[in-house]
Amino acid sequence: MTTQDLYQQVIIEHHKKPRNFRKIDPASHHAEGFNPLCGDHLWVYMKINAAGVIEDISFEGDGCAISKASASMMTQNLKGKTVEEAKAIFSDFHKLVIGQLNPETEANVLGRLSIFSGIWKYPARVKCAALAWHTMNGALGRETTVSTE
Ligand code: ZN
């Protein structure tokens, strides 16, 4: 299977069956994210404990397959991680989607998230893939709304 086939399979699978697709109430951190370019609109919720561990993370909203699959994979990946680890993964993911990190040759903390490695070739889709991550990062910084514009 090629990387492109794997990418498509994973996107379709997460879009059909998004993980952690629910509201956390009460959440310790949450934010709303928009990607006006595509129409993606989602909310990210987190429950972070006193030790700085993300005990629970979820999302809700609507958008294209890439935005929803990326949000789904993000929640799966960040659950149980510390805030510091989440920031490091966000940083690597951001570099990956804009084409500044090659996961095959450069050290990174992306794991399965590296399937998004080819997306920088499609600039219109980069914001779709990054929306949930920017929203999560905004929630950590106590922002209530995040826009990719
Ligand atoms: Zn989109």
Side-chain angles (χ1 to χ4, degrees), residues 13-21 59 68-69 71-72 75:
E13 209 268 320
H14 276 268
H15 176 57
K16 268 201 261 177
K17 239 181 75 184
R19 314 303 198 275
N20 305 303
F21 191 74
F59 80 104
K68 280 178 88 170
S72 172
T75 61

Side-chain angles (χ1 to χ4, degrees), residues 28-34 42-46 48 57 74 78 83 86-87 90 130-147:
S28 63
H29 296 68
H30 61 93
E32 181 179 11
F34 297 100
L42 50 84
W43 286 260
V44 171
Y45 306 97
M46 288 183 280
I48 301 174
I57 174 167
M74 178 186 80
L78 295 187
V83 168
K87 285 180 180 169
F90 170 69
L131 178 63
W133 289 87
H134 284 292
T135 307
M136 181 280 297
N137 193 51
L140 289 180
R142 299 287 183 193
E143 285 173 57
T144 51
T145 51
V146 176
S147 174

Side-chain angles (χ1 to χ4, degrees), residues 35 38 40 64 67 125 128:
N35 174 17
C38 177
D40 309 317
C64 67
S67 68
R125 309 323 317 232
C128 301

Side-chain angles (χ1 to χ4, degrees), residues 7-136:
Y7 167 74
Q8 267 162 10
Q9 194 183 63
V10 171
I11 297 291
I12 290 165
E13 209 268 320
H14 276 268
H15 176 57
K16 268 201 261 177
K17 239 181 75 184
R19 314 303 198 275
N20 305 303
F21 191 74
R22 59 188 157 81
K23 186 176 184 176
I24 295 171
D25 190 18
S28 63
H29 296 68
H30 61 93
E32 181 179 11
F34 297 100
N35 174 17
L37 210 64
C38 177
D40 309 317
H41 182 197
L42 50 84
W43 286 260
V44 171
Y45 306 97
M46 288 183 280
K47 195 177 262 184
I48 301 174
N49 69 20
V53 174
I54 301 168
E55 283 187 346
D56 200 6
I57 174 167
S58 69
F59 80 104
E60 276 187 331
D62 211 359
C64 67
I66 292 173
S67 68
K68 280 178 88 170
S70 180
S72 172
M73 290 184 73
M74 178 186 80
T75 61
Q76 211 174 26
N77 188 283
L78 295 187
K79 203 181 226 181
K81 299 265 175 30
T82 65
V83 168
E84 290 315 306
E85 286 169 329
K87 285 180 180 169
I89 298 166
F90 170 69
S91 168
D92 274 4
F93 189 80
H94 184 65
K95 283 187 224 158
L96 178 82
V97 296
I98 61 172
Q100 289 183 359
L101 187 151
N102 181 344
E104 281 168 26
T105 56
E106 291 168 82
N108 66 82
V109 289
L110 291 166
R112 296 189 60 203
L113 298 168
S114 62
I115 61 145
F116 285 97
S117 64
I119 203 158
W120 60 270
K121 293 172 204 150
Y122 309 95
R125 309 323 317 232
V126 169
K127 288 180 176 177
C128 301
L131 178 63
W133 289 87
H134 284 292
T135 307
M136 181 280 297

